[in-house]
Amino acid sequence: MRVWKQVGVSLAVVGAGVCLWALTSTDGRNALAKVGILAAEKPAAETAANGGGNGGGQGSGQGQARSGGQSGGQGGGRAGGQGNATLVNLASVKTGTINDRMNAIGNGEAIQSVVVTPQASGLISEIRVASGQKVKKGDVLARLDDDEQIIEREKAQVALKSAVEKSTSYSNLKSVSRLDVLDAQIAEEAAKLALSTAELNFKRRDIVAPIEGIAGIVAINIGDNATTQTSIVSLDDRSKILVNFWAPERFTTAIKVGMPVEATSISRPGEVFKGEVEAVDNRVDEASRTIRVRAVFNNANDDLRAGMSFSVAMRFTGENYPSVDPLAVQWDAEGSYVWRVVDNKSNKVRVQIVQRNPDSVLVKAELAEGDPLVIEGLQRVREGGAVRTNSQPRAPEVASQ
C-alpha cells in the first residue's frame, strides 16, 4: 500500500475516534463547545434551579409537547371546529309544487267563418261590399240581374188576381156546381204559390251576409257570370279566436273544459294571450297518439287573425317536492347531490332532479323544509368538515408557547 493511502486511513480512524469521544463524553462536548461546534451543556445544579425534574427537562421536552398539545388540542381542535372552518353561504330548503307543463303548436280560426256564394245563377249587376268592411247579418253584399224575375213576379201577380176573382164569383153564384167552385179555389191557391215562388226567385237575386263579420277580399267584378258555386267574399267573425291544437295522450284525462290556456303568436312576439279550453275531442288519434283540443281567446281589440299559428302552453298542478337553490346542486360520478349543514358540519345528500325552474330546482331527496344547504364555498367543503358563515365569527387560534 502506498504511503499516502496509509496516512489517509490513519486520519480517518483518528477522526472517527474523536467524534465518538465527543458525542459520548461530557468533556468532549464541552471541548467542542469551546471551539464553537456545539452549545455548552448546563450543569445539573443550574438545571435544577431552572425547574428541576419537572421544570427543565420536562419544560423543554414536555413544555414543547404541551405547547404542541395545546396547539394541537385547542388550535387543532378549533381548526376542526371554527378555527379553520370553511367559510360558506347557506340557503334554506323550501317546498315547491311541480308544474307539469304542456307545449303545443296550434292554428287559429275565427269563431264563425263563411264563404258567401249566390243562391241563383246570373250576371253580377251590383257590388255593395268592400274588402275589410264590417257587415251585419242580412246586409246586401251584391246583386244579380233580376229583369226576368221581375217579369215572372208580375205574371204571378196577374194570375193570382184572376184566380181570386174567379173563385169569388163562383162562390156567389148558385148556378155553378160545387165541383167548379172547388176547382176555382184550388186555382187561387196555386196562383198564390206561384207568386210566392216568383217573389222568392226575385229575392234570391240579392246576395246577403249570413253572419256578422269582416269581409275578406272581394273575388268578383260587375258583369261576371256567377253560379251557385262562385265565391263572392269570405266573412269572418273574429270577435273571438279559436285555436286548435293536439295534446299528447298522457294529458287526455287531465285537460278539462274551462281550464286556462296561454298562447303566443309569431306575429306579436312578447304578448301572451289568455284563454280557456272550449272543447276536447272524444277520441285519441291512433296514428299520432294525440287528442285534439280547442281553446277560445277573446279578440276585442282585433289583434288576432284566423290562420295564425300559436304556441300554446298549459300548466297542470302536481306533487310537492323540496325546492333548492340551483347553486346548491353539485355533480360527481354517482350523480347529483347537495351539501347539508348540521351542527356546523357538512354532509352529502344525494338528490334526484325532478324539475328545473329559473330560480329553483325541485328534487326528490331526504330533505326537510328549512334545512340549510351550501350554495357558495363548495370547492373546499368535505364530508364531515367544519363550516361557518359570515354570521359566525372565526375563533382565534391558540399560539404555541
Side-chain angles (χ1 to χ4, degrees):
M1 182 180 295
R2 295 183 179 182
V3 175
W4 63 271
K5 290 185 179 180
Q6 294 179 356
V7 173
V9 172
S10 299
L11 292 176
V13 172
V14 172
V18 172
C19 292
L20 181 62
W21 169 74
L23 295 175
T24 57
S25 172
T26 302
D27 294 337
R29 287 196 295 272
N30 291 335
L32 292 177
K34 289 180 180 181
V35 297
I37 298 177
L38 290 178
E41 185 174 337
K42 293 182 180 180
E46 185 179 354
T47 302
N50 287 336
N54 292 329
Q58 293 180 356
S60 63
Q62 295 182 358
Q64 293 180 357
R66 288 181 181 178
S67 176
Q70 291 180 353
S71 177
Q74 295 181 356
R78 289 179 179 173
Q82 292 184 357
N84 291 328
T86 302
L87 180 63
V88 297
N89 283 337
L90 305 178
S92 300
V93 176
K94 300 178 182 179
T95 300
T97 302
I98 182 173
N99 291 321
D100 199 353
R101 184 182 178 92
M102 184 208 71
N103 294 309
I105 300 298
N107 296 318
E109 62 182 45
I111 192 169
Q112 282 187 300
S113 183
V114 63
V115 177
V116 181
T117 58
Q119 292 181 299
S121 300
L123 297 177
I124 301 294
S125 62
E126 186 179 1
I127 298 175
R128 291 190 174 187
V129 66
S131 301
Q133 179 181 343
K134 186 174 183 178
V135 299
K136 295 182 179 180
K137 182 178 181 179
D139 287 352
V140 178
L141 306 179
R143 291 183 184 275
L144 300 175
D145 64 299
D146 54 5
D147 295 339
E148 183 180 353
Q149 284 71 32
I150 292 175
I151 296 174
E152 292 295 331
R153 183 182 64 175
E154 292 177 352
K155 288 172 60 177
Q157 290 174 347
V158 172
L160 176 60
K161 184 178 180 181
S162 174
V164 170
E165 290 180 356
K166 183 177 181 180
S167 175
T168 303
S169 299
Y170 279 17
S171 298
N172 295 329
L173 295 175
K174 295 182 179 179
S175 59
V176 179
S177 66
R178 185 174 181 82
L179 183 59
D180 291 338
V181 172
L182 182 60
D183 289 340
Q185 291 176 346
I186 293 174
E188 179 183 352
E189 294 298 327
K192 289 181 179 178
L193 292 176
L195 177 60
S196 297
T197 301
E199 289 179 345
L200 178 61
N201 291 333
F202 176 76
K203 182 180 179 181
R204 285 181 173 178
R205 309 309 286 180
D206 291 340
I207 303 172
V208 300
I211 63 171
E212 180 178 350
I214 308 296
I217 296 177
V218 179
I220 58 171
N221 296 303
I222 295 177
D224 287 346
N225 187 14
T227 67
T228 55
Q229 303 298 321
T230 302
S231 174
I232 304 300
V233 67
S234 63
L235 298 179
D236 287 341
D237 179 5
R238 55 185 188 229
S239 59
K240 294 182 179 180
I241 294 294
L242 301 176
V243 177
N244 295 300
F245 60 94
W246 294 85
E249 183 179 3
R250 66 188 182 95
F251 295 105
T252 300
T253 57
I255 299 177
K256 305 294 182 183
V257 174
M259 290 183 65
V261 181
E262 295 181 351
T264 57
S265 174
I266 298 176
S267 62
R268 303 185 69 86
E271 294 188 45
V272 178
F273 301 95
K274 298 184 181 296
E276 62 180 22
V277 176
E278 185 196 51
V280 182
D281 205 352
N282 61 346
R283 63 179 61 187
V284 175
D285 181 70
E286 296 181 358
S288 63
R289 312 312 305 175
T290 56
I291 188 169
R292 185 184 180 189
V293 182
R294 172 176 287 177
V296 59
F297 296 84
N298 288 323
N299 191 30
N301 297 328
D302 201 29
D303 295 329
L304 306 177
R305 298 288 187 274
M308 281 185 174
S309 62
F310 293 88
S311 176
V312 182
M314 294 186 67
R315 298 178 182 272
F316 304 88
T317 302
E319 301 178 358
N320 293 332
Y321 286 93
S323 176
V324 304
D325 192 293
L327 297 177
V329 181
Q330 302 295 306
W331 295 83
D332 60 10
E334 298 181 12
S336 55
Y337 66 92
V338 295
W339 288 111
R340 178 173 56 188
V341 176
V342 179
D343 297 332
N344 295 328
K345 301 287 185 179
S346 58
N347 62 86
K348 183 183 293 185
V349 179
R350 291 288 171 184
V351 299
Q352 179 182 351
I353 296 177
V354 178
Q355 177 176 300
R356 287 187 177 272
N357 298 319
D359 56 350
S360 64
V361 178
L362 301 185
V363 298
K364 185 177 182 181
E366 295 181 358
L367 296 173
E369 186 174 3
D371 284 351
L373 303 181
V374 179
I375 61 172
E376 292 184 6
L378 295 159
Q379 294 81 1
R380 299 180 60 188
V381 177
R382 298 294 181 268
E383 179 67 30
V387 297
R388 64 183 180 89
T389 62
N390 288 327
S391 61
Q392 298 173 326
R394 180 174 180 176
E397 296 183 2
V398 178
S400 302
Q401 300 292 333

